Amino acid sequence: MTELPAMQRLLDRVEWRSSGGEDCRAKLSSRAEWVHLVNGLDAVATDQLAGFRAMTASILNAARLQFGRRSRQVSGILATDGYRGIVDRVRSKASDWVRPRNGILEVFPDDVMAADLSQPFRAEVPKIAPGGPISVNWVTHPAGPGSGGHATCYRIVKYLDRMGYKNKVYFYDACRADLKYYEGIAREHYGLTCPIADVRQGMADAHAVVATGWPTAYAVFNARCTGKRFYFVQDYEPYFDPVGTQSVLAENTYRMGFHAITAGRWLAQKLSGEFGMDADHFPFGCDTSRYSRNPASRRAGIAFYSRTGTPRRGTELGLLALEIFAKRNPEIELHLYGEKLGDLPFKFVNHGLVKPAELNEIYNRCFAGLSLSLTNVSLVPCEMLAAGCIPVVNDAEHNRIVLESPHVRYAATTPHALAAALEAVVRMPDFEALSGQAAESVLSRSWDDAGAAVDAAFRRALKI
């Protein structure tokens, strides 16, 4: 085949002209060059056509392969999971597609860059007059109704209000939410009466300044107001994200030199042992005015707190355990609450998000409740106990250390072990006696005890 440069030389020698209505004609210096040109053009066209055909065949073959693969995949999903399985997978892929590729941090980037942990600010701690009030700045995320972590934090704030503290809550939110709206929720749903402000506008001087979540710790570290720095820690937050930027940023907050006050003993031991933090803890309270055992209730079910948006609560693992349990015990009702779920491969009552009064009724209809905590334990097991519903909990050090109850049933963190533990509770011949003892065991647990422990921790750290 004639090479492209040679072809170009041939074409350059063609003189194109048009005269009147006559066709355009090319004049070449010799017949041999004309033949050579035509042959070259024909070879190029043949070669390009062959390439185009090969490319087209390759695309069609790939399309047939992908079509066949996807057709078999869709058929398999329809056969096992039905139409809902297709919809769920499409929605999952769509959410991945629309998610920003650069990610959105839960903390203001400028707060992270301003926080040089090698040069911490040495805040002055004002003297507290004998018998005078202790002023505390609390930096928190704004929250909607139903947040367990905020409920605990705000219970402590309200207790300290009653003890004469001067509390002030400062909202921190990297998403720039409408803080006025969330102030209304804090007052209406959580009962806060203390002043509430925006931490980005600066904080007043205080005796203590308290971070309550890892993003808020950066605001507290960078603040220039007076007050000893504290960290109100309810869970080990580096576990909340896959290993990456956010988990590292969360872990770094335990190196900021704050004094930790933790929910339960496990966190205090972990933070002091692994990060050298000064740490106190408060015991979990239980609101027995809302959760209590009704001896007249007929129990016929199992309760499960499902929260797919909170991976540390192990919802998918719990659903697998319930599927195994349901196959063996079809006569037992399954009550799921926390969020509305779609179709599942077993029959269940879909309660969704419920208020405490409704939840207490659910617990009183159940022999046992499945409560999974893959990090620090939640409030759920204590509330189940108060209603005489025996909690089945994944066996882990962080759960045993905090709960310290002989009435909790622990099981290995596998679907079969959890299902077997639920069966064992349902089949107990002396269930009524055990249920009554479980309820009595938490009657002495009050949130006032938790508040008193936090009060004592502040006073020790501030040397009052």
Side-chain angles (χ1 to χ4, degrees):
M1 185 185 75
T2 305
E3 295 181 358
L4 187 60
M7 288 296 302
Q8 187 63 52
R9 287 196 299 273
L10 288 173
L11 291 172
D12 288 344
R13 297 184 61 182
V14 176
E15 178 186 354
W16 299 97
R17 71 182 181 182
S18 176
S19 60
E22 296 182 354
D23 294 333
C24 293
R25 293 178 297 178
K27 289 186 177 181
L28 296 171
S29 61
S30 71
R31 178 180 177 81
E33 288 186 2
W34 170 259
V35 173
H36 187 56
L37 173 63
V38 171
N39 289 340
L41 289 172
D42 182 61
V44 170
T46 301
D47 185 58
Q48 290 179 340
L49 181 60
F52 176 75
R53 286 173 176 169
M55 180 179 68
T56 302
S58 175
I59 292 172
L60 290 175
N61 286 335
R64 290 191 194 100
L65 179 64
Q66 292 300 319
F67 180 78
R69 177 173 76 93
R70 292 301 184 189
S71 296
R72 291 188 293 273
Q73 181 184 16
V74 169
S75 297
I77 294 172
L78 284 172
T80 56
D81 299 336
Y83 171 74
R84 175 56 61 183
I86 299 293
V87 172
D88 288 345
R89 284 165 175 80
V90 170
R91 291 173 64 187
S92 178
K93 287 296 182 182
S95 68
D96 290 341
W97 182 71
V98 300
R99 184 180 297 116
R101 291 291 176 258
N102 59 346
I104 299 176
L105 294 177
E106 296 176 29
V107 62
F108 286 107
D110 57 338
D111 283 341
V112 176
M113 291 184 288
D116 184 351
L117 271 60
S118 68
Q119 300 183 40
F121 172 65
R122 305 298 179 186
E124 178 188 350
V125 181
K127 291 184 178 181
I128 302 172
I134 301 172
S135 59
V136 183
N137 293 340
W138 299 80
V139 185
T140 73
H141 291 286
S147 167
H150 284 80
T152 296
C153 178
Y154 293 158
R155 281 186 181 115
I156 300 300
V157 171
K158 289 185 290 185
Y159 174 86
L160 297 176
D161 279 341
R162 297 196 300 271
M163 295 299 106
Y165 279 64
K166 292 178 62 177
N167 293 295
K168 188 168 186 178
V169 169
Y170 290 87
F171 283 153
Y172 179 96
D173 183 60
C175 294
R176 303 183 187 275
D178 180 3
L179 300 186
K180 202 69 180 175
Y181 167 78
Y182 284 102
E183 178 181 350
I185 291 177
R187 300 201 185 284
E188 180 180 351
H189 290 274
Y190 296 100
L192 279 189
T193 58
C194 66
I196 298 175
D198 182 354
V199 73
R200 301 288 282 182
Q201 304 301 319
M203 285 191 286
D205 288 340
H207 299 112
V209 184
V210 187
T212 60
W214 76 261
T216 71
Y218 285 90
V220 170
F221 183 88
N222 294 327
R224 291 300 180 260
C225 61
T226 62
K228 182 175 176 62
R229 273 38 175 174
F230 290 87
Y231 203 160
F232 190 82
V233 183
Q234 298 191 63
D235 213 332
Y236 189 71
E237 293 185 291
Y239 286 163
F240 288 12
D241 291 286
V243 175
T245 298
Q246 291 218 142
S247 67
V248 169
L249 292 178
E251 185 179 286
N252 286 343
T253 62
Y254 303 137
R255 300 184 176 94
M256 289 181 171
F258 300 165
H259 185 117
I261 301 176
T262 72
R265 186 160 51 92
W266 173 70
L267 280 170
Q269 292 178 352
K270 185 174 183 66
L271 296 182
S272 62
E274 296 183 16
F275 299 94
M277 293 181 71
D278 293 329
D280 290 290
H281 73 275
F282 61 90
F284 276 45
C286 185
D287 191 348
T288 53
S289 66
R290 291 183 168 182
Y291 300 99
S292 60
R293 181 173 181 267
N294 181 358
S297 283
R298 174 187 168 274
R299 297 180 188 265
I302 298 293
F304 177 54
Y305 172 66
S306 62
R307 192 75 175 268
T308 53
T310 310
R312 63 187 181 276
R313 299 304 172 213
T315 296
E316 296 81 5
L317 178 64
L319 293 177
L320 293 174
L322 290 182
E323 184 174 353
I324 294 171
F325 177 88
K327 289 178 181 178
R328 298 175 184 169
N329 307 273
E331 76 284 1
I332 301 297
E333 300 170 358
L334 299 178
H335 296 269
L336 274 59
Y337 70 95
E339 64 181 344
K340 281 287 186 182
L341 296 176
D343 295 336
L344 293 174
F346 53 84
K347 185 179 179 180
F348 68 102
V349 182
N350 202 357
H351 294 282
L353 187 63
V354 295
K355 295 180 179 179
E358 299 171 88
L359 185 53
N360 188 57
E361 291 180 4
I362 294 171
Y363 289 158
N364 272 279
R365 294 167 60 184
C366 295
F367 295 105
L370 182 57
S371 177
L372 303 179
S373 292
L374 305 180
T375 55
N376 201 29
V377 72
S378 73
L379 302 178
V380 169
C382 288
E383 295 167 352
M384 288 180 172
L385 287 170
C389 175
I390 306 303
V392 171
V393 176
N394 55 298
D395 196 355
E397 179 188 35
H398 56 262
N399 290 330
R400 287 184 177 269
I401 287 178
V402 175
L403 291 175
E404 296 182 312
S405 172
H407 303 290
V408 174
R409 295 293 182 265
Y410 294 98
T413 314
T414 69
H416 283 277
L418 294 167
L422 291 170
E423 286 179 315
V425 174
V426 169
R427 295 172 182 170
M428 290 183 62
D430 57 345
F431 174 81
E432 285 301 320
L434 175 64
S435 173
Q437 293 166 9
E440 291 176 3
S441 71
V442 295
L443 288 176
S444 61
R445 293 193 181 191
S446 78
W447 283 107
D448 281 355
D449 291 338
V454 175
D455 176 29
F458 276 137
R459 294 181 182 277
R460 282 193 299 272
L462 294 172
K463 297 181 172 57
I464 301 174

